[in-house]
Amino acid sequence: MAEYAYGQTPPDIGEKAFSLAWLAGARHLKAPSAGESFWHAHGEVQLLFCFKGEFEYEFEGRPGAVLTAGHYIVIPARLKHRHMQAIDPAGHRIELLVRPPRAGADYSLFPHSVARALLSSLLEKSCRPVQASRDLVRIFLRLDALAELGEGSLSPKQLALARTLAALVLQACAGNDAEVHGAKPEARLMDEATAWLEHHFAEDVKMDGLVAYMGYSRSRLFDLFRRHTGLSPADYLARYRIRMARAMLEKTDRKISDISRACGFASAQYFNAAFRRQTGLTPSAWRERSRGDI
């Protein structure tokens, strides 16, 4: 069986199957448990959409970014990157490898000038997560289902559908979707909800407090919150607490039990279990790794 460098395995649907000069392939990325992550780069622009999980990226020479469910991120060609602390978390994503514009290439579906404009617009969003509209999420879901099957199992009609879906992804991600970028009032309200959770993360937070603060019904608030963040309020709070705990472990010498209490965990045992579930490491192992002790 062939061995490949990290991040360089062949796509599930390849360039020849797509027959699109701007697309080198698509990968279905689904892992039930965390693994190792290494610095690497791609020869193509990497477009990643997250269905499940939280992926914190480090970029060489650029600020990092956190990709969560319902969002996509664009990583420029040849930019070195990896997951934070060299841990590739469990989760589910789809990856498209988009080629930079090349003179004389047959771009199919798009004239060369249009493809160049779309790719340039896509790169303007580099290295920052962008929330996808509900329509775009549906397109990613259908394309991912085809990628999971693999091009060898796809009929000519399914390959044609994959080709069309990929073109729609490029068009939507490169465009200015009003639902995503139009500063809807609901989006601003959900930003306020996340800010409330972050402000109270060290406390014994009850979700009824968030509901009362926002003035929505519980079901309506939770539905809007999930659409905005890809997470329930409780999951968002749990992930934020772990993020704050990681910072304390890396930057202070506080006892782990103190950090547990400072981040709102009811017990050190629960803190250890939650931390390991999200990062693949215990708090003490995370501290040692962040300081180069292991």
Side-chain angles (χ1 to χ4, degrees), residues 248-287:
M248 293 182 193
L249 289 165
E250 294 166 11
K251 299 175 183 177
T252 75
D253 293 318
R254 296 177 68 174
K255 293 180 180 179
I256 290 175
S257 58
D258 291 342
I259 291 175
S260 170
R261 286 190 294 273
C263 292
F265 288 93
S267 70
Q269 285 183 328
Y270 178 60
F271 172 55
N272 272 270
F275 195 96
R276 187 163 194 165
R277 186 165 55 250
Q278 284 197 34
T279 68
L281 294 176
T282 63
S284 58
W286 183 278
R287 172 174 273 169

Side-chain angles (χ1 to χ4, degrees), residues 190 207-208 210-225 233:
M190 291 308 102
M207 290 304 148
D208 286 345
L210 175 63
V211 172
Y213 175 77
M214 294 301 299
Y216 276 71
S217 71
R218 188 182 184 91
S219 60
R220 175 64 172 160
L221 173 62
F222 280 34
D223 178 62
L224 289 173
F225 194 96

